[in-house]
Amino acid sequence: MFRAFSSLPLGSPTVDRLAVGRLAVVGGVAGSALFLLAGPASAHVGVQPQGEAAQGGYAVINFKVPNERDDASTTKIEVNFPADHPLASVMPQPVPGWKATVAKEKLTKPLKMHGNTITEAVSKVTWTSTGGKIGPGEFQQFPLSVGQLPEDTDQLVFKALQTYDNKEVVRWIEEPKEGEEEPQSPAPVLKLTAATGDGHGGSGSDSDHDSASDADADKAAAKTGAQQNGATETASADSSDTTARVLGGVGIAVGAAGVAFGVLAGRRRTTT
């Protein structure tokens, strides 16, 4: 092919078409390489629920933290909670190599939750490395159990700070606006789904746990009753079987004694 191409006169239509084709291939490869190089830079701290995060309910959410640097590792992540929609219950799941610290602050307006008055809410959760790290080309998830989720909004915005071991701090604090382009350093946004059932849905609803416990208790009671009835019937059957065996044995013994008595009586008459 190369010989055929080199033997063609310059400026011919065939040469022009081949040259354009080669330029297109080279341009496509270069564009793909640029896209791959730009990929890691577009990654950012985000938050997603495990399952769903329903309004008025409880949920487990994961903060996904990617490492965007080629020469540094992430050693600290701080997540600030929204003050306009406070969350009273926040429990971190242990992450090996990291220490979680939950900070709370007093509320200007107390909350009502399950008949109790809540006077403080979580303001920030910080994960600090105790040996673990997020290296170049890696990411780490930090799970939290949170609730009770608000019922008057369809999203929660968390502002996060990511610290590298070279002391660089990246601020993921820009709130995305609907209908606008994503900001350069967007804050993590948790989308909430509509409340279901009694308005206390989600992955950690107390009513769900209570219903499941009652159902399990009913099943256990029914199983126990069936086992007891079965044991009683088995015992009765065993007792009847034993009685029949005893009576049968007595009958056989009486019959054998009668036969022996008849034989002895016959011998006595013969002798006389």
Side-chain angles (χ1 to χ4, degrees), residues 5 34 79 94 103 121 137 186 220 261:
F5 177 77
L34 289 174
V79 176
F261 179 78

Side-chain angles (χ1 to χ4, degrees), residues 5-180:
F5 177 77
S6 61
S7 64
L8 292 174
L10 294 177
S12 67
T14 304
V15 172
D16 292 342
R17 286 195 297 271
L18 291 173
V20 170
R22 289 192 174 188
L23 289 175
V25 172
V26 172
V29 173
S32 300
L34 289 174
F35 176 78
L36 293 174
L37 291 175
S42 63
H44 55 266
V45 176
V47 60
Q48 290 292 333
Q50 291 184 9
E52 68 173 8
Q55 296 171 329
Y58 293 80
V60 175
I61 61 177
N62 283 326
F63 285 92
K64 182 179 179 181
V65 182
N67 191 90
E68 293 189 311
R69 301 293 180 263
D70 296 329
D71 56 353
S73 298
T74 299
T75 56
K76 185 179 180 181
I77 183 74
E78 302 169 70
V79 176
N80 293 278
F81 281 63
D84 54 344
H85 294 99
L87 299 177
S89 175
V90 176
M91 293 185 295
Q93 179 177 319
V95 178
W98 297 82
K99 178 183 178 181
T101 304
V102 180
K104 295 185 177 182
E105 63 180 12
K106 293 289 184 181
L107 295 174
T108 56
K109 183 180 180 181
L111 298 175
K112 292 289 185 180
M113 185 181 297
H114 302 302
N116 299 321
T117 301
I118 308 300
T119 59
E120 62 180 11
V122 173
S123 59
K124 181 170 65 174
V125 177
T126 303
W127 288 272
T128 307
S129 172
T130 58
K133 64 179 181 179
I134 310 173
E138 299 176 344
F139 76 93
Q140 177 66 55
Q141 294 193 86
F142 298 93
L144 291 175
S145 174
V146 300
Q148 184 174 354
L149 298 173
E151 300 178 351
D152 57 350
T153 184
D154 59 359
Q155 68 177 27
L156 293 176
V157 180
F158 301 87
K159 296 183 178 182
L161 303 179
Q162 182 178 7
T163 302
Y164 289 87
D165 55 10
N166 61 0
K167 308 303 180 184
E168 179 187 5
V169 178
V170 180
R171 301 176 182 275
W172 305 99
I173 61 175
E174 299 180 61
E175 184 173 349
K177 302 294 184 181
E178 187 175 356
E180 298 182 6

